[in-house]
Amino acid sequence: MQKTLSYDHQLERFNPLDRVITFDDFDRGFNGWMDLTPNFVYDNYESFNSAVDLTSWAPSMLSSAPMRFAASHGSMEGTYSLKLTTGAVAAPHTQPPADGSMGIALKRLSRFGDPSKIQIEAWYSYTPAQDRIGLGEEDIRAFGFYFDVQDGEHRYMPGVRYVNSLGGKLVKKWQYWKVADGVTHADWNFGVEDGWCAPGIDNLWYGRRHEDGSSDGYQWVPGGEQDLLYNESPDKINWLYFRLLVDVQKREYIELQSMDTVFDLRGIQPTLAERYRSIDNLINPIFYVETDTDRPVHFFLDSVVYSTE
Amino acid sequence: MHTTNTSVLTRRVWIRSDYATLPYEAGWATEAVFFTQVEGEHPDLTITTDISPDGINWIARGEPRTLGSDQSIAESSLTTFGNWVRLRVEGASEDQPARILVHVNLKG
């Protein structure tokens, strides 16, 4: 068979690896991106015991990015983006996330083509709801991305998080996912001895958090300060580029790109947990957003490209 | 062929006072059906759908529904609603709480 390939011109604003596995432009629907929920496998469909209510995250939606006083922004190209949002509630950043304080969306995939590298790229934007006067930038705690990966030996989660603001004070630094030394299973699960998750799994809500934004599950990216573009009102958004490249042969980070800045993460390994039952060869990409206060915040994904090599 | 999607707006949440789902954008769809389910004992509940120009200011739209204490599921439908929708549930209290599950199915 002779193949003729023609690429969507929208790929011009991405830098995919050799093989594009998925290219999701939310003008055509949810593209399989869905809300994250726990496993409802116990009596009366209850989920496992956790210090964090994993059932409570706000639903993602297809958004035309309409604003209170500005018009609809549409998306970077087209009308709709995928919007992650939060409830109007936040716990202090030193505590476990409050019910509904995060928005999470993922795509459930598996390994294909025996890749050595996997990469996620996205064009995104972020803003709080314009439910009060002011700029609103300080009310967005963080947003992030991670891959949930399991091979034949380990489950691990290479990811990054942009810490925008903590307790109303702007921080604007990148972190990567890796567990601090000496963290026990009970530490990780906020004291729940039989907690579901092993250290290194689901860093987005597990692991103890400290006043300065450091935590059991996140480490600061060296030189990771970055003043990301945030416009002058909550009802103005701009589209930003994001890329994370991971070596799944060595189980190491390679690099994070944010706008035109590239952070070298070579030689850093995410925490390797024991494999979980029956999910070998799983690779899920996942985005999330967190509010810092009693105000919904939004994270818009215009489009996402997942590619491998 | 139409696009369809079901989102869970409220996932088995205990309510003890008047309650509203988060603002939800549904502008891509031309019809919306909300399903409200209740688990276990509960008081009579009144269910109202709201629409909004901005996700902040709301106005009731559509016929309110009553979900009696002997019922477990109710539906609310909208066909002209602009972009923003939400669902309100009234009647729960500290003495008579309710555990609710709200789906919205969109099609367009």
Side-chain angles (χ1 to χ4, degrees):
Chain A
M1 181 178 70
Q2 279 197 324
K3 293 183 187 174
T4 303
L5 294 177
S6 74
Y7 289 106
D8 187 321
H9 81 278
Q10 287 201 63
L11 281 171
E12 287 293 322
R13 56 192 163 89
F14 291 94
N15 290 300
L17 302 177
D18 288 351
R19 174 176 267 161
V20 173
I21 302 290
T22 60
F23 171 30
D24 299 325
D25 176 356
F26 300 101
D27 282 316
R28 296 190 290 269
F30 283 80
N31 286 88
W33 287 82
M34 57 182 294
D35 303 335
L36 183 57
T37 55
N39 304 326
F40 297 98
V41 295
Y42 293 89
D43 285 350
N44 191 32
Y45 299 100
E46 300 292 351
S47 59
F48 52 79
N49 186 19
S50 169
V52 182
D53 177 9
L54 304 182
T55 68
S56 62
W57 315 125
S60 57
M61 60 196 91
L62 294 179
S63 173
S64 55
M67 299 301 173
R68 186 170 187 177
F69 301 112
S72 288
H73 284 59
S75 59
M76 184 174 175
E77 177 158 325
T79 301
Y80 297 109
S81 56
L82 183 71
K83 183 171 83 174
L84 283 60
T85 194
T86 74
V89 58
H93 66 270
T94 51
Q95 300 293 315
D99 300 356
S101 62
M102 302 173 73
I104 302 133
L106 84 160
K107 190 157 183 166
R108 299 194 180 278
L109 300 173
S110 64
R111 192 184 187 95
F112 171 71
D114 193 24
S116 59
K117 294 173 185 166
I118 59 175
Q119 178 176 273
I120 200 80
E121 295 171 89
W123 284 91
Y124 70 93
S125 192
Y126 60 101
T127 189
Q130 196 169 30
D131 59 353
R132 64 198 72 176
I133 60 169
L135 298 185
E137 182 178 15
E138 67 286 352
D139 292 330
I140 303 153
R141 177 173 296 172
F143 53 83
F145 169 82
Y146 64 103
F147 280 114
D148 182 356
V149 184
Q150 180 163 308
D151 54 34
E153 294 175 63
H154 291 290
R155 188 176 186 191
Y156 60 103
M157 296 190 171
V160 292
R161 178 197 196 211
Y162 184 73
V163 182
N164 183 65
S165 182
L166 296 170
K169 292 181 183 161
L170 291 175
V171 175
K172 293 182 165 257
K173 290 184 192 174
W174 287 97
Q175 294 177 325
Y176 62 91
W177 287 38
K178 184 179 180 66
V179 178
D181 291 338
V183 174
T184 67
H185 199 93
D187 292 339
W188 190 251
N189 289 275
F190 299 111
V192 180
E193 292 288 343
D194 60 347
W196 179 271
C197 281
I201 304 300
D202 289 356
N203 308 30
L204 74 171
W205 41 60
Y206 289 126
R208 297 163 300 184
R209 288 113 192 276
H210 309 298
E211 184 61 35
D212 69 349
S214 62
S215 77
D216 287 346
Y218 292 109
Q219 311 301 322
W220 297 106
V221 170
E225 301 82 7
Q226 187 177 31
D227 192 9
L228 279 182
L229 192 165
Y230 177 86
N231 214 316
E232 297 165 306
S233 167
D235 62 358
K236 294 178 179 172
I237 60 172
N238 295 68
W239 299 98
L240 310 179
Y241 176 72
F242 166 85
R243 179 174 68 88
L244 181 68
L245 179 61
V246 174
D247 187 325
V248 287
Q249 225 161 31
K250 295 180 181 172
R251 303 188 186 101
E252 285 182 2
Y253 293 97
I254 299 176
E255 61 191 16
L256 158 68
Q257 180 174 352
S258 173
M259 301 181 74
D260 286 332
T261 303
V262 178
F263 301 97
D264 187 351
L265 301 175
R266 284 176 180 80
I268 298 173
Q269 198 159 45
T271 302
L272 305 181
E274 295 293 308
R275 59 186 282 277
Y276 283 38
R277 188 186 64 80
S278 77
I279 56 170
D280 284 355
N281 298 310
L282 172 148
I283 299 179
N284 290 342
I286 305 163
F287 287 94
Y288 61 102
V289 65
E290 308 174 44
T291 185
D292 197 51
T293 184
D294 58 344
R295 182 178 194 179
V297 299
H298 311 310
F299 182 80
F300 304 87
L301 283 165
D302 166 80
S303 44
V304 178
V305 173
Y306 166 52
S307 60
T308 67
E309 177 178 303
Chain B
M1 186 176 288
H2 285 161
T3 295
T4 185
N5 185 73
T6 299
S7 285
V8 178
L9 303 183
T10 300
R11 188 173 285 108
R12 310 178 89 186
V13 168
W14 282 100
I15 60 171
R16 293 177 170 81
S17 59
D18 292 349
Y19 174 85
T21 59
L22 290 173
Y24 194 88
E25 286 193 52
W28 60 270
T30 52
E31 60 180 81
V33 182
F34 298 81
F35 296 94
T36 305
Q37 297 180 72
V38 187
E39 294 184 71
E41 290 188 13
H42 61 90
D44 289 348
L45 299 172
T46 302
I47 300 165
T48 309
T49 44
D50 287 348
I51 65 173
S52 167
D54 50 20
I56 296 164
N57 297 294
W58 297 91
I59 184 168
R61 181 63 177 268
E63 291 298 315
R65 294 282 190 268
T66 299
L67 200 160
S69 59
D70 58 342
Q71 297 172 304
S72 61
I73 186 168
E75 66 82 20
S76 311
S77 305
L78 291 173
T79 50
T80 304
F81 48 81
N83 186 46
W84 294 95
V85 296
R86 74 173 184 183
L87 184 110
R88 279 188 293 119
V89 181
E90 297 170 284
S93 63
E94 287 291 340
D95 293 339
Q96 291 187 297
R99 193 186 195 193
I100 63 170
L101 172 64
V102 179
H103 290 79
V104 62
N105 174 258
L106 298 162
K107 196 177 297 181

